[in-house]
């Protein structure tokens, strides 16, 4: 796939291409394409690669210069993501903070929070985990039960300071509850945690977003091993965990608005690199089909062509969304459907690849060593759950786009 975003960013694109060609070598080249949102493979190599990117000032190209970024625009950010995926570079180990927390702090954090955390994210000195999902609040995030209470402090917030709205000076928040499916939680130095600060509130009201240090007696992080034999997921137990009173992102009681802003960032342009990965897998599928003679079977040939068409539809959808963002318009309905379509179609692509591989596709290497096709197939099974399950996505499409009646609640 080749895209030209015009002369305005051509110098930036060429600089990035040259840098990647010069630095994506040796051990880094051996890990091309390794990793993903739920793939913890080659963690140390990917972390070293992130530090290489940081040394070249390639992390946070759109973040303001005062926090360590390059201060460039949205178009340069899109070009970076596209060229990075085109080079098949390792998935960034710091993706959680770069793609989610950092933009959230830039949009809704205090100045003190931005100065404290953003430079250390870009220098790969602090890693972050997302404390959203709970055992009883996965896709139904509004059912969060993890609670936070104020302990000590006093005095009203002073106008003109960087303290978050509604936060008094001094004291701490005491957090109790459990989070689950925290991606790369075992590596996290900090967690951004959605909590219920009003015990009498229900659903979306009375929630607050807190930044909580992970290295303390009140935080226990246990890894969860997935089907691919990796432990990038974790469950987090919070028992009187503490964080300073000013570690509120946004306003006290308005955590739902903050969380939705974060998920909106996640569902923006981050599907572009994923789509390029799916295109490579589709090309590999066609190569495997030729090798196995599957193209002679009209039923298999039809399914292979359908898989090829699906990744082209993903490309068109992403390009429409990017064009709208560049033009300063809110993304259209296709952006809402993109996650649902990509996750379901990728699963179908994986099933077909394993079917074409035949019995060899069920044989793993020593110590449960999986090849690229096997790992992609197993990890794709979670794609219709994380980031909003397919059932939730269909409800959103039905209610907010098609105008259908809302699903009845008990």
């Amino acid at each position: 796939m080749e895209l030209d975003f015009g002369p305005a960013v051509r110098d930036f694109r060429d600089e990035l291409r040259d840098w990647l060609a010069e630095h994506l070598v040796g051990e880094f080249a051996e890990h091309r394409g390794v990793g993903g949102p739920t793939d913890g493979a080659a963690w140390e190599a990917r972390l070293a690669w992130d530090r290489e990117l940081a040394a070249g000032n390639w992390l946070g190209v759109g973040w303001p210069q005062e926090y360590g970024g390059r201060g460039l625009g949205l178009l340069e950010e899109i070009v970076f993501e596209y060229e990075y995926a085109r080079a098949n570079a390792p998935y960034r180990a710091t993706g959680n903070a770069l793609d989610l927390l950092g933009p959230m702090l830039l949009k809704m954090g205090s100045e003190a929070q931005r100065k404290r955390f953003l430079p250390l994210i870009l220098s790969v000195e602090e890693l972050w985990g997302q404390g959203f999902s709970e055992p009883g609040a996965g896709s139904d995030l509004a059912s969060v039960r993890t609670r936070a209470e104020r302990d000590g402090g006093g005095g009203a917030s002073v106008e003109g300071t960087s303290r978050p709205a509604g936060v008094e000076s001094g004291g701490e928040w005491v957090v109790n509850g459990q989070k689950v499916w925290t991606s790369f939680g075992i590596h996290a130095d900090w967690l951004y945690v959605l909590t219920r600060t009003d015990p009498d509130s229900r659903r979306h009201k009375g929630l607050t977003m807190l930044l909580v240090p992970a290295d303390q007696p009140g935080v226990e992080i246990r890894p969860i091993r997935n089907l691919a034999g990796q432990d990038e997921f974790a469950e987090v137990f919070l028992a009187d965990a503490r964080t300073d009173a000013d570690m509120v992102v946004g306003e006290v009681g308005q955590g739902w608005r903050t969380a939705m802003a974060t998920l909106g960032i996640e569902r923006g342009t981050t599907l572009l690199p994923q789509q390029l990965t799916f295109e490579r897998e589709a090309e590999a599928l066609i190569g495997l089909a030729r090798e196995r003679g599957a193209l002679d079977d009209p039923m298999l040939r039809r399914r292979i062509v359908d898989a090829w068409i699906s990744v082209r539809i993903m490309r068109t959808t992403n390009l429409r969304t990017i064009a709208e963002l560049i033009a300063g318009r809110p993304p259209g309905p296709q952006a809402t459907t993109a996650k649902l379509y990509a996750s379901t179609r990728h699963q179908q692509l994986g099933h077909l690849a394993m079917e074409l591989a035949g019995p060899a596709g069920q044989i793993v290497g020593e110590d449960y060593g999986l090849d690229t096709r096997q790992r992609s197939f197993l990890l794709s099974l979670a794609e219709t759950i994380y980031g909003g399950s397919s059932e939730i996505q269909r409800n959103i499409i039905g209610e907010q786009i098609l105008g259908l009646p809302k699903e009845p609640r008990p």
Side-chain angles (χ1 to χ4, degrees), residues 78-108:
I78 292 171
V79 170
F80 173 83
E81 292 295 345
Y82 169 74
E83 293 295 335
Y84 189 89
R86 181 175 173 271
N88 203 21
Y91 187 88
R92 295 187 291 278
T94 52
N96 198 321
L98 290 168
D99 298 337
L100 299 175
L101 175 75
M104 179 179 74
L105 291 179
L106 286 169
K107 184 175 182 179
M108 308 191 74

Side-chain angles (χ1 to χ4, degrees), residues 74-241:
L74 175 63
L75 187 54
E76 284 85 357
E77 289 188 73
I78 292 171
V79 170
F80 173 83
E81 292 295 345
Y82 169 74
E83 293 295 335
Y84 189 89
R86 181 175 173 271
N88 203 21
Y91 187 88
R92 295 187 291 278
T94 52
N96 198 321
L98 290 168
D99 298 337
L100 299 175
L101 175 75
M104 179 179 74
L105 291 179
L106 286 169
K107 184 175 182 179
M108 308 191 74
S110 68
E111 180 62 17
Q113 290 168 354
R114 290 192 284 263
K115 288 181 177 178
R116 162 64 181 84
F117 294 113
L118 295 181
L120 294 182
I121 290 173
L122 295 183
S123 61
V124 198
E125 294 180 66
E126 286 184 343
L127 303 179
W128 285 80
Q130 183 189 65
F132 279 19
S133 295
E134 299 181 5
S139 294
D140 185 17
L141 188 58
S143 297
V144 159
R145 291 184 293 179
T146 293
R147 66 187 187 279
E149 301 173 336
R150 281 297 304 276
D151 179 21
S157 177
V158 180
E159 185 177 357
T161 69
S162 59
R163 190 176 304 127
V167 177
E168 298 177 342
S169 62
E172 294 178 311
W173 292 98
V174 182
V175 186
N176 286 277
Q178 180 184 353
K179 298 293 181 177
V180 73
W181 311 124
T182 303
S183 297
F184 310 119
I186 60 173
H187 304 290
D189 300 298
W190 283 78
L191 306 166
Y192 52 108
V193 183
L194 188 63
T195 66
R196 191 166 296 281
T197 49
D198 181 354
D200 298 322
S201 65
R202 295 189 61 190
R203 304 290 300 165
H204 312 86
K205 298 180 179 180
L207 301 175
T208 301
M209 186 74 71
L210 296 177
L211 308 178
V212 180
D215 185 14
Q216 60 170 301
V219 177
E220 180 183 359
I221 301 177
R222 301 178 187 172
I224 301 174
R225 192 165 295 275
N226 66 15
L227 283 172
Q230 301 165 355
D231 57 5
E232 73 279 1
F233 285 132
E235 52 184 344
V236 180
F237 297 89
L238 303 158
D240 290 338

